Amino acid sequence: MSLLERVKSGDFLSATLDLSQPSEVGQWTLPNGVQFALISRGILQVIPAKIKAETKDIVLSCGIHGDETAPIEIIDQLTRKLVLGEIEPKHRLLLIIAHPEAVNAHTREIDENLNRLFATEQDEETKEQEIANRLQHSVRYFFCQSSDVSPLHHWHLDLHCAIRESKHHTFALSPFSSEPSRGQGLFAFIQQAKLDAILLSNRLSGTFTSFSANEFGAQAATLELGRVAAFGENDLTILAPFIDALESLVTTLTLNETWSIEDSITTYRVARTLLKETEAFTLLFPKDIANFTFFDAGTPLAIDNNKTMVADEGGESILFPNANVGLGQRACLLVKKARLIAGEQMTIAESSFL
């Protein structure tokens, strides 16, 4: 059976990962009128039978890092239901399993971190640079083919897992953007999915969702769903609220898009970013420390270039600490709790910056 035929039968993941078969493209339509187009290996476009004023354009991506398997399983299950006609989408979808080679190797990357390469077009000197260009082109085409130019109708959820334990088992990261990419609808979805926390970034980055937010004003978020595990070892029952919310997002034309203050989740803002300036950079806490661990003001956090960095006034929590990054790259985020203000765009209360 060809790769295309396997995708049509509902085996999107296994077909994508079978690199012994050549990549294919193709289109087909189900009896319910839903149209599918296999754009390339691991990239499937889905068009609902009817396009309405409320129809969104939703990118759902996973596998940016190959060892983050729970999101891949979630997207595969959703795709199977769509392809077999068990559920019917109400929105345009672009479903992505980004890095089949890394997934097969059960490794985060082959040459470099793919989720740092979306700030610009790449030279394609590494496997990840090639993938970054292909994904950017696919997302551009998908959004540009939309019948609605409103950024509020463009969405991008990039599903990940963390490589370490976390004080919050699930959390969302909202990329910084000069575009209106933090609408209430996105944050209401995060509430409905019962994620434990949300972090608002304060600077541009090279992540996949940052690309979508800044180039298209997409309502974008990187979603961290538990911890890295091998295929078959993920307890998806823990993620049931998110899985249910995701299916509702895809199959319901209009959801409740109002952020509930009464049901508010823990919110953080980025206070600082620690960059690795020299090979002598050292983090001054255990390697296996959990994300969102809090440090009181004055606690030594890292040393680099003969300079010791300490927790700021009021204390700070650490996120994504990793001393094994390239020079000039982020070695750790330092975050503080904040209070959201609901409006057309979600913002952080000024008092959060005191």
Side-chain angles (χ1 to χ4, degrees):
M1 188 183 297
S2 70
L3 183 149
L4 178 61
E5 289 301 318
R6 290 171 66 181
V7 174
K8 291 172 68 175
S9 72
D11 292 331
F12 182 48
L13 175 58
S14 64
T16 297
L17 299 186
D18 187 354
L19 300 182
S20 68
Q21 290 189 308
S23 184
E24 286 187 89
V25 299
Q27 302 179 16
W28 72 98
T29 303
L30 295 184
N32 61 11
V34 178
Q35 302 172 42
F36 295 83
L38 186 61
I39 306 300
S40 68
R41 183 184 299 275
I43 304 179
L44 182 65
Q45 179 177 276
V46 186
I47 306 297
K50 295 181 180 180
I51 301 293
K52 298 186 177 181
E54 299 88 353
T55 300
K56 297 182 177 69
D57 310 302
I58 305 175
V59 177
L60 300 175
S61 55
C62 65
I64 290 289
H65 298 131
D67 57 352
E68 299 175 2
T69 58
I72 299 171
E73 292 178 356
I74 290 170
I75 293 300
D76 183 48
Q77 290 178 7
L78 177 68
T79 304
R80 183 183 298 272
K81 289 183 177 182
L82 290 165
V83 169
L84 298 181
E86 296 174 1
I87 59 174
E88 185 172 341
K90 300 301 182 184
H91 307 281
R92 297 176 71 247
L93 306 174
L94 191 67
L95 306 169
I96 297 173
I97 301 174
H99 201 334
E101 293 89 343
V103 176
N104 283 336
H106 194 66
T107 186
R108 185 174 173 83
E109 60 208 37
I110 300 297
D111 298 311
E112 60 181 317
N113 188 346
L114 175 57
N115 212 28
R116 298 291 180 272
L117 302 177
F118 293 96
T120 184
E121 193 82 5
Q122 299 295 316
D123 294 332
E124 301 198 4
E125 296 177 351
T126 67
K127 172 57 67 173
E128 280 79 14
Q129 290 176 10
E130 175 188 333
I131 294 171
N133 284 348
R134 182 168 71 249
L135 294 180
Q136 289 181 76
H137 296 165
S138 297
V139 170
R140 283 193 186 101
Y141 181 82
F142 176 71
F143 282 143
C144 290
Q145 291 298 307
S146 172
S147 60
D148 196 313
V149 297
S150 169
L152 290 175
H153 283 251
H154 298 334
W155 281 50
H156 183 182
L157 304 178
D158 188 29
L159 280 55
H160 286 255
C161 288
I163 61 176
R164 62 179 63 242
E165 292 293 341
S166 177
K167 300 293 185 180
H168 301 291
H169 186 68
T170 58
F171 56 97
L173 293 89
S174 170
F176 173 82
S177 175
S178 58
E179 300 296 324
S181 60
R182 290 173 172 167
Q184 272 203 58
L186 172 63
F187 283 65
F189 165 79
I190 291 170
Q191 274 191 325
Q192 292 156 15
K194 299 190 182 303
L195 270 62
D196 298 331
I198 187 167
L199 168 69
L200 278 67
S201 181
N202 63 348
R203 58 184 291 180
L204 293 173
S205 72
T207 66
F208 199 8
T209 54
S210 181
F211 160 76
S212 297
N214 282 282
E215 185 156 331
F216 297 99
Q219 309 305 293
T222 302
L223 306 180
E224 299 284 350
L225 305 173
R227 192 176 181 185
V228 165
F231 281 121
E233 296 181 4
N234 296 297
D235 183 1
L236 296 186
T237 61
I238 299 174
L239 301 174
F242 170 77
I243 294 171
D244 291 344
L246 185 65
E247 186 169 314
S248 293
L249 175 67
V250 167
T251 60
T252 305
L253 195 59
T254 56
L255 292 172
N256 177 13
E257 296 193 349
T258 302
W259 169 270
S260 170
I261 297 297
E262 291 74 20
D263 193 29
S264 188
I265 62 178
T266 305
T267 302
Y268 294 86
R269 64 176 179 85
V270 175
R272 293 186 291 159
T273 301
L274 300 186
L275 301 179
K276 181 176 179 177
E277 297 179 359
T278 74
E279 293 295 347
F281 181 92
T282 304
L283 292 169
L284 301 177
F285 43 75
K287 291 183 179 180
D288 60 352
I289 196 168
N291 281 324
F292 295 102
T293 295
F294 179 80
F295 290 93
D296 290 321
T299 303
L301 300 175
I303 186 168
D304 194 14
N305 201 20
N306 296 320
K307 177 184 176 182
T308 299
M309 291 157 271
V310 303
D312 204 355
E313 180 181 356
E316 294 172 304
S317 299
I318 56 100
L319 186 61
F320 303 140
N322 184 2
N324 299 317
V325 297
L327 296 181
Q329 292 189 4
R330 183 192 77 196
C332 183
L333 286 178
L334 299 176
V335 303
K336 293 188 175 188
K337 287 187 177 180
R339 181 171 60 86
L340 278 175
I341 298 179
E344 270 190 47
Q345 290 292 298
M346 304 297 286
T347 57
I348 293 176
E350 289 187 9
S351 59
S352 299
F353 290 91
L354 298 179

